[in-house]
Amino acid sequence: MVKVLIVDDSSMTRNFHAYILRSAGFAVIDASDGVEALEKLYTEGDIACIITDLNMPNMDGLTFIRRVRQEPLFADVPIIVVTTLDDATDRKEGIRAGANFYLTKPIQPSVLVESVRIAVGG
Amino acid sequence: MRFSPEDVEILAGILEEAPDYLSNIEEQILALEKGQEKELLDSIFRSFHSLKGIAGFVNLVPIVEVCHRAEDLIKELKSGKRTKSPALIDALLEAADFVNRVLHRLREAMAGYSGGVLEVDFEDLGERDVLAKIEQIPPEEQKTEEAEEPLPVIDRAFAEETLHDFLAELEDNLVQAEETLLALEHSPESETVSTLMRAFHSMKGGARLVLSLAPQETQERLLRAIEEIAHRLEDYFQEIREGKATITAEVCEEAYRGIDLVRELSRLLKTGASGAPWEAVNAFLRPQREQRSEEVRTQTESGTGALEAFGNIMEQFLELLDDKLCSPSLAGEELQRLAEVVQRGLVRLGRENDVPLVEEVLKKSQEGDTEALKNLREQLARLFEDIQAAKDSACREEAAQQTSPARTPLQQGTAHTVRVDSEKLERMLNLVGELLALKNATRSFVKQMERDSSPLLPEAKNIASGLERLSADFQSMVFSLRMVPIGELFSRYRRTVRDLAKSLGKKVTLLIEGGETELDRTVIEKLSDPLTHLVRNAVDHGIEPPEEREHLGKPPEGTIILRAYYRGAYTFVEVEDDGRGVDVQAVRVKAVDRGLVSSDEVLRLSDEEVLSFLFLPGFSTARVVSDVSGRGVGMDVVKTNIESMGGQVGIESVPQRGTRVWMRIPLSLLVVRGLMVRIAHERYILPLEFVRETVKVPPERVREYFNGRFVEVRGEILPLVVAEEVLFDTRVDLRGKGFDFNLVPLVVLGGEGETCAVAVDAFLEEGEYLMKAVPEYMRGNGVVSGVTIMGDGSIVVILNPPQLVQW
């Protein structure tokens, strides 16, 4: 199964996105901030796609993305940033930091699933 | 069907869990026959859904299929595609029966299971009949209007759950926002503004998420309002963070108003009550409403997944390309990363032929060939339009077809904190009680073996000590689950203090000390009212107006401290203020006025004793009854609540310096180490914390003097109380009692400087007992502090020694 890492400080959002992706046949791992997410990246291995929020305590999304990209091991893992309609600057920052593209909340379940499918390819 | 050994393990789990879902289903289906409430449908749906889910783990096809069909029936019933009919009710009942039959067959098979592959035959259980019965339900007249099936992947049960999560999270966010706002008023720091923004941001995001699940109409309106208010507040503080605006009292006021509105709306969402403050909401949102409504509408429009997902990516790609055209010096990595995804998307949509176009873009961008790049951008844009057009038509098709993709069983997300039903905690606590009873029984059993010099003693001791260790660990674990840091409760008063101080024209800071001190949930609940009274009192009567304070040489801003700490076997919770203090002389006068003491006596009482009058019902020295406090209710509530937990209250006050009210609460209300005794054929428990020693004395050593009895224990003359006399209000002749060896068993109770001997009939055992509170009327004037339930189900009273001996 294709493993997806969901990083979000809202447990509801995590559970919700996880539920959708699991229903679509993905394996889902989640983390509530950047620090935990990095930990999961190293410990879980073979994560095929990362979906991350930007606004988080401890380590925010931008820092997290930069850290992921610095690590050669994860340089090619697709990263999808989840933002709201109103943070136009944030999402550009996200892309600049190393994300592949962003999704705007609220995300239609089918769009979330398809975006991940596109991101992981095949 | 064949099941592997791993499957068998799961099957055991299924057998354990399934009855939970089946237990009520029959009744509910029968209830459905009488009336069709939405909750009923939801509940039946959930049961079938859950059964299907767990059966799916081991591919228990018969259950999965039948439940799936039953689920569909309920869904159609809910959407109005079907109406209720006897045939339908029958079919549902049959389905439930069938599941029961399968489980029964499984249980039989498992009983004889001895490892290896398990073979079970379900063929003869009538699956086909059940399915046929469902098929054959006479179709209702086809409803012409299209049934609404909001989002294919989501079922209502999940939407409800999400709403529930949202409300819980919203509450947390509101508390945080409020706290942060209070902090902000004092010291505007950018970090605080960010935290505040994040809180509002989360509220907004959560509301939107729930909105995307197509909630019911009434819910939708409430959610929309929450979303807009949170959005508005987020904007406010964003501007402040960006330096476009400054924090003013008005902004804070506005934010409080918003928080209160959201809280009210959330309450309505939770309870389903009507009467939302729409006028206030509208007034709050008016300036922004017009511009926002447009935005929201376009957001909630639905679309088809793959195309829309690709559209989103493509748009970003084009945008980035534009940026690149404007400033060619931009790094190429971003474009590269997006391009990869765009290519994959094209492949996914079956447009492999267009992949080279993207390659070309990357190449030209690297070469810095702006002209070619412009050209390519146009081509891409046209391609995108093409795809968009295809999407629109696909949308229409999809709407016509109403397809619904296959479901997979719901799996629980790995949450980092789990919200546990408090009822479950309560049940765990009962288990602790049973474990303790078992431990006590084992202990006395081992003692018996010791007396009999049983050869099995060493082994028995081992087992007993293992059990003891385990139950101690389990007990502390369960108790720790029930422990909550008091800080959460304390910080609720920030708002109380702020609002109250403002309305009284005072300046007050609330300081919290020892917020990390953990107390049992039930204790925290019981502390809430007392603290409210004490905090209000402190602001209203304690802290002086700023001018008066300055006149006295105090800082104009008063301080109230909420403090918690452990000391010995107690938790102390204190409310301290640096206000004017209580006028002890006024209390003396009032006590005499009220006829509580004579004017002679009152002068002999210490200040502390006098102040304790304040805890009597209806006793207030406030000269003016304000709407805040001073009606003389409150302080007695403090005393009653604390004493009901076996605690004590006290008050200290220094004129002009301030007042401190302390509440002393036993650390563990739950487990009592006690000595079980027999009194008049009944068992009773005396808490060990009061027991100094136990002795047996000949009846001759008991002397009567006037109406009292005294006993000599090791040369010390102690007052003697015969427990039976106090409990049953009789007169007992100790000589005629017929004690073992004609010796009177005495429990010497000691506490607070006083010592007293209590005569009982016999000592039984020493152990730990889980104390259950008893209602007021059963407390027998406070002689009873609670009860414990023994392993055999019998109930034993736990006595309250201070009342027993009437100290």
Side-chain angles (χ1 to χ4, degrees), chain A residues 1 4 15 41 54 79 87 97-98 103 119:
Chain A
M1 267 207 282
V4 180
N15 288 343
L41 261 182
L54 289 181
I79 301 178
D87 351 290
L103 284 168

Side-chain angles (χ1 to χ4, degrees), chain B residues 489-732:
Chain B
L489 177 66
F490 277 174
S491 50
R492 266 196 249 157
Y493 297 103
R494 285 191 193 282
R495 181 73 187 271
T496 316
V497 168
R498 176 196 175 273
D499 289 354
L500 198 55
K502 214 165 173 205
S503 77
L504 295 170
K506 295 182 181 179
K507 287 186 177 162
V508 186
T509 318
L510 181 75
L511 296 179
I512 288 174
E513 289 177 12
E516 70 288 346
T517 311
E518 290 190 326
L519 282 93
D520 191 84
R521 262 184 46 245
T522 53
V523 175
I524 299 261
E525 277 161 26
K526 280 205 177 144
L527 276 173
S528 156
D529 280 349
L531 281 174
T532 306
H533 289 298
L534 294 174
V535 167
R536 283 171 163 258
N537 268 338
V539 181
D540 193 15
H541 304 310
I543 306 290
E544 311 88 336
E547 315 79 55
E548 190 181 330
R549 290 181 65 89
E550 273 183 323
H551 189 72
L552 292 164
K554 290 180 175 183
E557 190 164 54
T559 306
I560 293 176
I561 305 173
L562 289 177
R563 186 186 294 124
Y565 56 93
Y566 302 121
R567 177 94 0 119
Y570 297 95
T571 314
F572 281 81
V573 177
E574 299 179 350
V575 181
E576 188 179 319
D577 67 63
D578 66 347
R580 57 169 73 98
V582 180
D583 185 347
V584 185
Q585 297 314 327
V587 179
R588 282 203 161 85
V589 170
K590 181 105 185 208
V592 175
D593 273 359
R594 296 273 315 267
L596 295 167
V597 281
S598 69
S599 44
D600 289 346
E601 261 175 290
V602 83
L603 294 173
R604 280 199 295 273
L605 294 175
S606 69
D607 282 2
E608 204 174 319
E609 283 167 315
V610 171
L611 286 175
S612 70
F613 285 131
L614 290 175
F615 291 110
L616 293 176
F619 198 102
S620 169
T621 58
R623 283 184 200 92
V624 195
V625 172
S626 69
D627 63 338
V628 180
S629 48
R631 280 190 215 88
V633 287
M635 288 305 262
D636 60 313
V637 172
V638 175
K639 187 177 161 84
T640 329
N641 269 24
I642 301 305
E643 288 189 346
S644 77
M645 297 186 277
Q648 274 199 327
V649 286
I651 181 166
E652 288 164 17
S653 188
V654 180
Q656 308 306 340
R657 296 279 293 279
T659 307
R660 184 174 74 101
V661 177
W662 54 264
M663 295 171 274
R664 192 188 74 175
I665 303 144
L667 215 44
S668 170
L669 304 169
L670 298 161
V671 170
V672 175
R673 297 206 345 105
L675 173 69
M676 194 187 282
V677 297
R678 198 171 64 228
I679 302 168
H681 310 293
E682 296 273 355
R683 289 174 295 177
Y684 291 89
I685 292 163
L686 288 164
L688 275 188
E689 54 170 310
F690 294 100
V691 176
R692 212 180 66 183
E693 63 177 321
T694 57
V695 287
K696 292 186 177 181
V697 300
E700 301 81 58
R701 262 201 249 159
V702 176
R703 311 273 160 76
E704 302 214 6
Y705 186 70
F706 287 107
N707 264 338
R709 285 173 168 151
F710 296 87
V711 65
E712 192 199 321
V713 178
R714 276 192 259 292
E716 196 182 351
I717 307 288
L718 298 175
L720 173 73
V721 168
V722 179
E724 192 177 342
E725 291 184 346
V726 178
L727 293 173
F728 301 100
D729 201 17
T730 54
R731 185 76 190 167
V732 176

Side-chain angles (χ1 to χ4, degrees), chain B residues 183-199:
Chain B
L184 199 62
E185 276 186 304
H186 289 281
S187 58
E189 282 162 31
S190 72
E191 185 52 35
T192 328
V193 177
S194 299
T195 312
L196 198 56
M197 253 185 73
R198 198 157 57 222

Side-chain angles (χ1 to χ4, degrees), chain A residues 32 38 80 91 104 121:
Chain A
S32 56
L38 278 176
I80 304 173
R91 52 169 82 134
T104 307

Side-chain angles (χ1 to χ4, degrees), chain A residues 66-109:
Chain A
R66 281 187 207 110
R67 293 281 294 273
V68 173
R69 288 301 182 226
Q70 275 163 16
E71 171 63 67
L73 210 58
F74 309 132
D76 295 327
V77 180
I79 301 178
I80 304 173
V81 165
V82 172
T83 67
T84 53
L85 195 66
D86 338 281
D87 351 290
T89 45
D90 283 3
R91 52 169 82 134
K92 285 221 166 125
E93 285 291 317
I95 304 276
R96 209 159 299 145
N100 291 69
F101 64 98
Y102 56 82
L103 284 168
T104 307
K105 279 194 224 172
I107 309 165
Q108 295 286 335

Side-chain angles (χ1 to χ4, degrees), chain A residues 10 19 30 36 86 102 119, chain B residues 169 204 316 344 410 414 416:
Chain A
S10 152
Y19 171 78
D30 63 1
E36 196 189 339
D86 338 281
Y102 56 82
Chain B
E169 205 162 283
K204 180 185 73 177
Q316 294 173 35
R344 285 179 201 154
L410 177 126
T414 47
H416 301 266

Side-chain angles (χ1 to χ4, degrees), chain A residues 10-12 14 16 19 22-23 30 36 85-86 95-96 98-103 114-115 117-119 121, chain B residues 158 162 166 169 204 209 213 231 299 305-306 309 312 316 334 337-338 341 344-345 348 408 410 413-414 416:
Chain A
S10 152
S11 69
M12 178 180 60
R14 279 200 310 270
F16 176 68
Y19 171 78
R22 286 196 179 111
S23 302
D30 63 1
E36 196 189 339
L85 195 66
D86 338 281
I95 304 276
R96 209 159 299 145
N100 291 69
F101 64 98
Y102 56 82
L103 284 168
E114 286 304 328
S115 296
R117 287 204 177 121
I118 291 174
Chain B
F158 184 73
T162 309
F166 166 68
E169 205 162 283
K204 180 185 73 177
L209 200 152
L213 300 179
H231 183 90
Q299 267 178 53
N312 171 48
Q316 294 173 35
E334 294 160 33
R337 276 195 298 266
L338 250 171
V341 186
R344 285 179 201 154
R348 179 136 190 94
T408 49
L410 177 126
T414 47
H416 301 266

